[in-house]
Amino acid sequence: MRDLAYAAGAIDCDGTIGYIGRNPHAMVSLGNTNSAIPAWLEERFGGAIYEQPVGKGVRGAHPNWRGLQTWMISGQAAVEFLKKIRPWLIQKQAQAKLVIEATEATARTGYRLTPEQKALRADYKSRINVLNRRGVA
């Protein structure tokens, strides 16, 4: 239980909960210049770690900066992770609720999504994106 509460706190502070892609699906990520936290999440909950060296993307090239380590989990594994940590989330509780709800409401019944499922996923994606915007809502 302590691990779940710690993971929730890390996601609340430095994480992202989203619904991404052309055929949207659940995604949870956390980026940090200290590799200990992403490694801890990967060890306990699965997923993968991606490295972004200094000087790439938005990180710039300041000599005192360290590279960014990003832990990411997606799809059904992300949904199961969110279900486990949701009781301890504070700031990102609404995003987690919507991602879980979206995944359950648009589960595939066949090989392809129906047009109605695609439209519903797009609606959920828009609602989650509004919650993830910076600044005052």
Side-chain angles (χ1 to χ4, degrees):
M1 184 161 72
R2 187 183 80 169
D3 284 356
L4 297 175
Y6 183 83
I11 296 301
D12 258 344
C13 291
D14 291 330
T16 299
I17 298 173
Y19 203 56
I20 62 167
R22 198 168 31 149
N23 287 322
H25 60 279
M27 181 277 308
V28 181
S29 68
L30 178 139
N32 203 303
T33 57
N34 181 336
S35 63
I37 296 171
W40 182 88
L41 287 165
E42 181 187 36
E43 178 183 305
R44 282 162 182 77
F45 303 105
I49 295 177
Y50 302 93
E51 295 184 35
Q52 183 177 2
V54 174
K56 300 288 183 183
V58 297
R59 296 290 304 149
H62 193 278
N64 293 335
W65 287 356
R66 292 181 288 189
L68 184 68
Q69 309 288 314
T70 301
W71 170 78
M72 184 181 293
I73 192 167
S74 63
Q76 192 59 38
V79 173
E80 295 306 317
F81 172 71
L82 289 173
K83 286 179 180 179
K84 289 176 185 176
I85 69 165
R86 187 170 167 220
W88 292 276
L89 288 170
I90 297 170
Q91 184 175 338
K92 295 187 170 85
Q93 180 73 239
Q95 289 94 322
K97 179 180 183 275
L98 279 177
V99 167
I100 293 166
E101 188 180 302
T103 303
E104 292 174 351
T106 63
R108 291 178 189 248
T109 54
Y111 179 71
R112 295 177 188 253
L113 293 171
T114 66
E116 294 81 16
Q117 287 174 312
K118 286 182 180 181
L120 190 55
R121 281 188 178 194
D123 178 59
Y124 275 110
K125 182 178 179 179
S126 294
R127 291 167 55 194
I128 292 164
N129 286 346
V130 167
L131 291 173
N132 284 338
R133 284 196 185 125
R134 292 179 188 243
V136 178

